[in-house]
Amino acid sequence: MGTLLRAPRECGSWFWDLDDVVEPGLESALSTAGRMSAVLQKHALLEPDALEWNWLQVGKGGLGIHSRLDLVRRSLDDPALPDELRACRPTGHPQAEMGGILVLGSGAWFDASGTRQKEYRLVELMVSTDEIGPSAELSVYHDVWGLCDFRGEPHPAVHAANAPRLASALQELVQALGVEAEPGEPTYYGRAEGHGLKAPDIIYGRGPDLTDAVFG
């Protein structure tokens, strides 16, 4: 059984500005999440099993209150889902609004021997419910998408078994949404470039060792 290190920050993310292609609001956000999840499921990258979001209020910002709804084999296009999410509004904050919705679930990756492994939160999908500026973001936190592991050791077999799957999914997401993906902000652990991760600097046959930070 392979064991993956998870970086405390994303090592790559892709952002879609959907302002000109979808309507704002919760129903539209869930529809977008459903279309994107279908692509990710096709590539075995995300099998949605729960939604999580925080609550905020105009003039106050984040309220420090989070909600989670288990899907229990329900589809993201279930017409009852939007009202169920709204019903989670904290009773002490009737003006609270939903923040971005995180779609959680497990995905498959392949180790150096070609064995398929299952990992919770292999990729993370976030959709915005904001009435101004609908958007979506996909993030990855593991080293299986890069040329080297987090210790700097090249792992060509792992990269070859996983990175093309992510690239294909990203290309199909662009087609499904009708908007090109923008690379997210770089972090200490990596950055997106095109439909993959930017190659690290290889010095004396090794990439940078990133394990000097706390990993989960």
Side-chain angles (χ1 to χ4, degrees):
M1 175 71 72
T3 300
L4 286 185
L5 289 177
R6 179 183 173 87
R9 293 283 309 280
E10 64 272 21
C11 54
S13 62
W14 294 264
F15 177 83
W16 287 267
D17 181 349
L18 303 175
D19 195 28
D20 295 327
V21 293
V22 301
E23 294 296 320
L26 177 56
E27 281 79 4
S28 180
L30 289 174
S31 175
T32 297
R35 284 189 291 154
M36 297 181 74
S37 293
V39 172
L40 296 169
Q41 282 181 278
K42 174 184 173 183
H43 293 275
L45 296 175
L46 175 64
E47 187 72 34
D49 63 17
L51 303 176
E52 286 188 359
W53 65 95
N54 61 357
W55 293 94
L56 50 88
Q57 189 168 325
V58 175
K60 290 186 177 181
L63 297 174
I65 301 172
H66 296 76
S67 294
R68 175 186 174 103
L69 182 70
D70 292 336
L71 293 173
V72 194
R73 295 182 298 278
R74 295 171 61 188
S75 168
L76 287 168
D77 59 8
D78 185 331
L81 207 53
D83 285 342
E84 290 189 26
L85 267 65
R86 291 189 180 99
C88 296
R89 178 180 285 111
T91 56
H93 300 273
Q95 303 302 315
E97 299 177 2
M98 298 176 65
I101 298 175
L102 186 62
V103 183
L104 298 175
S106 297
W109 66 281
F110 294 87
D111 63 22
S113 67
T115 302
R116 180 183 173 120
Q117 309 283 0
K118 185 177 181 180
E119 183 73 14
Y120 187 58
R121 297 173 75 165
L122 182 69
V123 304
E124 291 192 356
L125 173 62
M126 173 81 78
V127 291
S128 168
T129 62
D130 199 333
E131 291 294 335
I132 302 175
S135 63
E137 185 172 21
L138 185 73
S139 304
V140 295
Y141 291 77
H142 301 92
D143 58 14
V144 298
W145 321 109
L147 292 171
C148 300
D149 65 21
F150 285 136
R151 298 178 181 86
E153 290 285 352
H155 55 181
V158 172
H159 178 263
N162 295 288
R165 299 167 52 231
L166 176 62
S168 295
L170 285 166
Q171 290 167 359
E172 290 186 31
L173 287 172
V174 168
Q175 295 170 358
L177 296 173
V179 177
E180 186 57 60
E182 304 172 18
E185 292 295 322
T187 73
Y188 179 69
Y189 305 96
R191 65 180 300 167
E193 184 176 75
H195 296 135
L197 301 185
K198 181 177 174 59
D201 293 329
I202 305 295
I203 301 175
Y204 299 119
R206 293 177 57 91
D209 185 349
L210 305 176
T211 58
D212 56 350
V214 176
F215 275 72

